[in-house]
Amino acid sequence: MKNLLHSGKFWLRFSVFGLLAVIAAGIGMHTLLLYLFSNEHIQAAADQAVGNRYEVRFGSKIGRTWLPRPTVTLTNVTLGARNSGKPDLHVKEMRIGLSWQSLWGHPSIEKWVWEEAEADITHDKNGRWTFQDLWRNRNDHIGINRFIIENSRINIHTPASSYLTKQFNLKLSRASERSYIFDINGHTNRTDDTIITWESNGKAESANRQWLLPAVHIEADIPFQNHQTKLMADADLTWQSQQNTLQTRNLRLRADSSYHDLHLTAQSPLILWNGNRISSGDIRSVFTAGSEEEGRWDGSFSLSRLNLRPTTATVAKIDLSGSFKHNAQQTTFNFSAPLDWQKNRALTSDGLTLTTYQNQLNAAPQPRFSSQMTGKFTLSANKNWQLQLNGLFDRQATRFSADYIAANRQQAATLEAQLSLSKLLLAPYWKDLQAKGGRLFPTFLNREQIPQIKADIHIGNLAIPGLQIDEIDTILYADNRRIALTNFRAGLYGGHTEGGISIANTDPPAYHLQQNTHGVQIRPLLQDLLNYHGIGGTGDAVIDLTAAGTDRRSLTQTLNGNLQLNVADGAWYGVDMANILKNLSNNHAPGKNGADVQTRFRRFSLNSEISNGISRHDNTELTSDILHISSYGQTNLNTQTVSENLLIRNAANPKAKPVPITIGGSINNPSVTLDYNRLTDGLDSPEERQRALAETLREQWQWLNKPSK
């Protein structure tokens, strides 16, 4: 034996026969590999797997290898409905690796890899999915240990939209006989080019013709308004393929976004998707958003008994509650309503409730925007909607209705509304209105898509600090260019007024006021309108004024128009003309004037033209029991100064020569002087002028020196 082992001929023969055996075995194995993975066997196995409705095709170039396991590599694999002419699935390269035990026992796939696959999946109007019956009737007798999809594309088409998922990757590994561990991710594009990056992982178990997915985790990055939103969700899923049902239990969702620093959490014990129907018991969420600079939002949102179908949807109750804190103010609100939706018809809510309340933080309570309203809402399929609300606003009876008509090819969008308030108290809002100065044009009207607004408004009583307006009736027209109150009628300062008011959305805003007032208290009217309080009494006024600016100064500097006054039984404040004339008749200097003195009159008429804040007038007349005054001059509303030239006549002797007076200086405390030049015009010597002055005053004003009875 030792001689045999040391024999060169033995080893030569052994090597030759061993090599021949290996070659024979290799040839045999290759022949077996060609037989097992022949085109015919592969095609037959594929046809058996997909059934008669579908057909599988692949390229003629097939790769086969024994190591590390019996593997076949197919190229350009396609799957589609038979005779459709267009495949729904195309795989550039597919590798199917069988386990070694498949050669002599139950066949199983150890590793199945798809590279650069592209699938078109459609969800039609009848609720059917592409490959749906193939999934339901799949052959379960072939086990798959690992299934991998790499760098693939999935196109999902629904009646509402389309979704393209790129860089789709899936890893599915068997954990036990009926369970798998999966890891899946991709980038999904909607038709609006929004790219959503997402990933998911978990465990899937097959039992009793259903898939159980306990503790599924999903993460997604969703862009919104140039910001990113991070979405995370965990849930227990149950998929029943025969009933086409998906149950989501113990859903826990969280969203964090840089958009207004939004944070949201939500949960639901059960959501059921059954073919074309989605239903849930309760969905509840809480949210926060905003910052200290722009204001903080806090709130909660819930849906009760949601039922959603392709053509109908109902919600037993939708409830939104929250608060907004900003600038030491907190506004709380609650909206709740049932919803009923019917496709191509309308979304309706016949029992909505709305409550709001605003208060000051760290200050004395000052309730504002306090409302308790109920009503109904209808949204039609053509995007038209109607809203009706009734209840209380700031504890006052309120009715509001609106009818919106969406834009079409013939006309722009319109909103017609009716508002009725029994009383509106502006005292709680007055500081905010004053802070706006001349910027009274609402910012929401600056949007290009704002509809053309027409509103019929009735306010029983409008209470403003120092002013009360009753029975306001007007029609409001508004768009992104202007606001106009037409047919404006109201009780004002004890009388009534009619006219119009408009604001143009220019830079700066421009205002136009037209009013015809009757029987009003003139002094508060002029004080609030022009900051002028020199004339008081009851009378009529015709006002037509324009101005542009953002504060009182700029508005006054651009004030133009005209003002007509006819006042009865009033007073000229700041000037005591009777006292002035008494002093002049006694050769004394004119008496002191100021805001606490006045000249009473029976009638006063003024026709003034205003240009750049300067009011100029001619032939102004004032008549009292003892005086008749005519004047001309101007009032500078910018500097609050007056320059007047008066002719004063004795009412008892109107034919006598009048006394000329000049008034100038501050409106509140003007100086009054005798116009000596006009009185002594034509006289040469000082003595003649002095004598003429004394005689005129004694002649015309002797009655002023009569002792009072």
Side-chain angles (χ1 to χ4, degrees):
M1 185 65 180
K2 292 182 179 179
N3 294 332
L4 181 62
L5 293 177
H6 291 282
S7 172
K9 293 181 179 181
F10 169 77
W11 287 110
L12 178 61
R13 291 190 186 98
F14 181 80
S15 299
V16 171
F17 283 109
L19 179 60
L20 292 175
V22 171
I23 293 174
I27 293 173
M29 293 290 288
H30 182 68
T31 303
L32 179 60
L33 189 64
L34 290 176
Y35 173 77
L36 292 176
F37 293 144
S38 67
N39 288 31
E40 293 77 9
H41 283 174
I42 296 173
Q43 187 67 62
D47 291 341
Q48 182 181 2
V50 301
N52 297 327
R53 284 200 60 216
Y54 296 91
E55 60 180 357
V56 178
R57 294 289 183 266
F58 47 86
S60 58
K61 183 180 179 180
I62 300 176
R64 304 171 179 88
T65 182
W66 279 110
L67 298 174
R69 63 188 62 84
T71 302
V72 60
T73 301
L74 305 177
T75 59
N76 296 321
V77 181
T78 61
L79 172 65
R82 193 172 296 275
N83 300 322
S84 65
K86 182 179 182 299
D88 297 307
L89 172 66
H90 176 269
V91 183
K92 185 176 182 180
E93 182 176 290
M94 180 184 294
R95 296 190 301 275
I96 306 172
L98 299 179
S99 62
W100 285 103
Q101 65 182 8
S102 300
L103 299 180
W104 56 81
H106 183 74
S108 66
I109 298 176
E110 178 63 28
K111 188 176 182 181
W112 192 2
V113 180
W114 295 7
E115 289 190 0
E116 298 186 42
E118 184 163 357
D120 281 294
I121 301 175
T122 301
H123 187 214
D124 61 25
K125 61 181 180 181
N126 297 320
R128 291 181 55 84
W129 290 89
T130 304
F131 305 135
Q132 177 174 297
D133 52 349
L134 181 63
W135 171 260
R136 289 180 176 177
N137 300 323
R138 71 190 188 282
N139 194 341
D140 287 333
H141 73 277
I142 299 179
I144 302 175
N145 289 328
R146 284 183 293 170
F147 179 55
I148 301 173
I149 300 177
E150 296 179 341
N151 195 24
S152 297
R153 296 162 57 99
I154 299 177
N155 298 291
I156 298 178
H157 307 283
T158 69
S161 187
S162 296
Y163 305 86
L164 169 63
T165 298
K166 299 178 181 179
Q167 301 179 31
F168 177 79
N169 299 283
L170 168 66
K171 292 182 179 180
L172 191 67
S173 303
R174 184 185 292 274
S176 63
E177 183 179 355
R178 291 187 174 274
S179 65
Y180 291 87
I181 303 296
F182 68 87
D183 195 326
I184 184 172
N185 59 75
H187 302 274
T188 298
N189 294 53
R190 287 193 58 184
T191 51
D192 58 2
D193 293 331
T194 300
I195 301 176
I196 301 173
T197 302
W198 56 272
E199 61 179 277
S200 178
N201 57 70
K203 185 178 181 180
E205 302 176 359
S206 176
N208 299 324
R209 295 183 176 271
Q210 64 182 7
W211 283 97
L212 306 178
L213 291 85
V216 173
H217 178 74
I218 301 174
E219 293 187 10
D221 288 313
I222 305 173
F224 179 74
Q225 297 288 340
N226 297 322
H227 294 265
Q228 286 296 121
T229 298
K230 181 75 171 182
L231 184 70
M232 294 177 289
D234 295 277
D236 304 327
L237 304 180
T238 300
W239 166 250
Q240 296 174 323
S241 60
Q242 296 296 327
Q243 290 78 26
N244 198 26
T245 300
L246 177 65
Q247 290 185 1
T248 302
R249 296 182 180 275
N250 302 320
L251 172 66
R252 300 170 303 280
L253 181 145
R254 180 179 178 87
D256 299 287
S257 176
S258 59
Y259 181 72
H260 293 294
D261 195 23
L262 171 66
H263 303 279
L264 179 145
T265 60
Q267 55 274 334
S268 176
L270 176 64
I271 299 176
L272 178 65
W273 180 80
N274 186 0
N276 294 329
R277 177 185 175 185
I278 297 176
S279 60
S280 71
D282 292 297
I283 301 175
R284 300 183 180 277
S285 68
V286 295
F287 62 88
T288 62
S291 63
E292 295 299 327
E293 293 76 18
E294 64 182 9
R296 294 289 304 176
W297 293 90
D298 298 279
S300 63
F301 176 77
S302 66
L303 294 173
S304 299
R305 299 197 301 277
L306 167 69
N307 285 282
L308 178 61
R309 295 178 175 85
T311 58
T312 62
T314 60
V315 179
K317 185 180 181 181
I318 178 174
D319 190 276
L320 174 63
S321 298
S323 67
F324 176 68
K325 297 179 182 179
H326 186 50
N327 290 337
Q329 293 178 340
Q330 178 173 352
T331 303
T332 59
F333 56 90
N334 174 263
F335 169 82
S336 63
L339 295 179
D340 190 335
W341 172 77
Q342 295 182 355
K343 185 178 181 180
N344 298 327
R345 294 185 63 184
L347 171 68
T348 60
S349 177
D350 289 332
L352 68 86
T353 62
L354 175 66
T355 61
T356 60
Y357 183 83
Q358 186 182 89
N359 207 349
Q360 300 290 325
L361 299 174
N362 305 320
Q366 190 180 33
R368 309 195 315 171
F369 299 107
S370 176
S371 66
Q372 296 177 328
M373 311 290 286
T374 61
K376 61 181 181 179
F377 174 79
T378 301
L379 173 64
S380 303
N382 56 6
K383 299 182 180 180
N384 298 343
W385 55 263
Q386 297 81 40
L387 173 66
Q388 294 181 4
L389 293 173
N390 293 279
L392 299 176
F393 180 81
D394 285 345
R395 301 181 181 181
Q396 306 298 322
T398 304
R399 294 194 307 274
F400 175 77
S401 64
D403 189 347
Y404 174 81
I405 301 177
N408 54 47
R409 294 181 178 179
Q410 286 74 33
Q411 63 179 21
T414 60
L415 176 64
E416 294 190 2
Q418 293 80 39
L419 174 63
S420 177
L421 283 168
S422 61
K423 188 174 184 178
L424 179 59
L425 304 173
L426 289 184
Y429 312 95
W430 195 242
K431 288 184 178 179
D432 289 349
L433 293 174
Q434 288 180 318
K436 287 181 175 292
R439 299 183 182 274
L440 299 180
F441 200 91
T443 55
F444 75 89
L445 287 178
N446 289 322
R447 301 176 182 175
E448 289 294 332
Q449 299 81 9
I450 201 72
Q452 295 178 356
I453 300 173
K454 176 186 176 183
D456 294 324
I457 299 175
H458 173 77
I459 301 175
N461 178 266
L462 176 63
I464 302 174
L467 171 65
Q468 182 167 308
I469 306 176
D470 301 313
E471 299 301 330
I472 298 175
D473 284 292
T474 186
I475 300 176
L476 179 145
Y477 294 92
D479 54 26
N480 55 15
R481 295 171 298 174
R482 63 165 189 145
I483 297 175
L485 294 174
T486 63
N487 299 327
F488 184 90
R489 298 184 300 276
L492 178 67
Y493 297 104
H496 65 276
T497 183
E498 298 179 356
I501 306 169
S502 67
I503 305 174
N505 188 18
T506 55
D507 188 17
Y511 301 86
H512 190 186
L513 173 67
Q514 293 175 301
Q515 292 291 304
N516 191 351
T517 66
H518 301 280
V520 302
Q521 296 296 319
I522 295 297
R523 191 182 192 192
L525 172 65
L526 296 182
Q527 184 170 341
D528 290 345
L529 186 63
L530 303 175
N531 197 28
Y532 176 75
H533 44 79
I535 298 296
T538 302
D540 303 336
V542 178
I543 304 167
D544 189 348
L545 301 174
T546 63
T550 57
D551 53 31
R552 177 175 286 275
R553 179 179 179 183
S554 59
L555 290 170
T556 303
Q557 290 174 344
T558 59
L559 187 66
N560 295 283
N562 58 75
L563 171 67
Q564 298 178 28
L565 295 178
N566 287 286
V567 187
D569 299 325
W572 181 6
Y573 293 94
V575 177
D576 185 354
M577 192 57 63
N579 184 56
I580 292 170
L581 294 174
K582 284 182 180 180
N583 290 325
L584 289 173
S585 66
N586 293 321
N587 294 325
H588 294 160
K592 183 180 179 181
N593 296 289
D596 57 338
V597 298
Q598 57 184 268
T599 299
R600 303 294 304 179
F601 59 78
R602 287 187 289 106
R603 186 177 65 84
F604 174 81
S605 63
L606 167 72
N607 190 341
S608 175
E609 297 290 334
I610 302 174
S611 177
N612 297 326
I614 301 176
S615 172
R616 297 177 175 86
H617 58 90
D618 295 312
N619 300 321
T620 297
E621 293 187 351
L622 181 149
T623 301
S624 70
D625 293 335
I626 59 175
L627 302 173
H628 178 81
I629 302 174
S630 61
S631 70
Y632 68 91
Q634 68 178 36
T635 300
N636 192 323
L637 300 172
N638 300 296
T639 60
Q640 290 288 293
T641 57
V642 63
S643 175
E644 292 284 340
N645 294 283
L646 292 79
L647 290 176
I648 305 175
R649 293 180 174 85
N650 188 338
N653 188 11
K655 293 183 178 180
K657 187 175 182 179
V659 177
I661 297 292
T662 298
I663 299 177
S666 170
I667 291 177
N668 295 324
N669 190 17
S671 62
V672 181
T673 58
L674 178 66
D675 194 338
Y676 187 78
N677 292 328
R678 282 199 295 168
L679 181 64
T680 61
D681 185 33
L683 301 179
D684 295 328
S685 65
E687 293 78 7
E688 291 177 328
R689 294 180 179 181
Q690 182 65 33
R691 187 170 52 253
L693 172 60
E695 291 175 353
T696 300
L697 292 175
R698 283 195 299 268
E699 176 185 354
Q700 304 299 333
W701 307 105
Q702 289 178 358
W703 54 274
L704 290 172
N705 291 317
K706 294 179 181 179
S708 58
K709 296 180 180 180

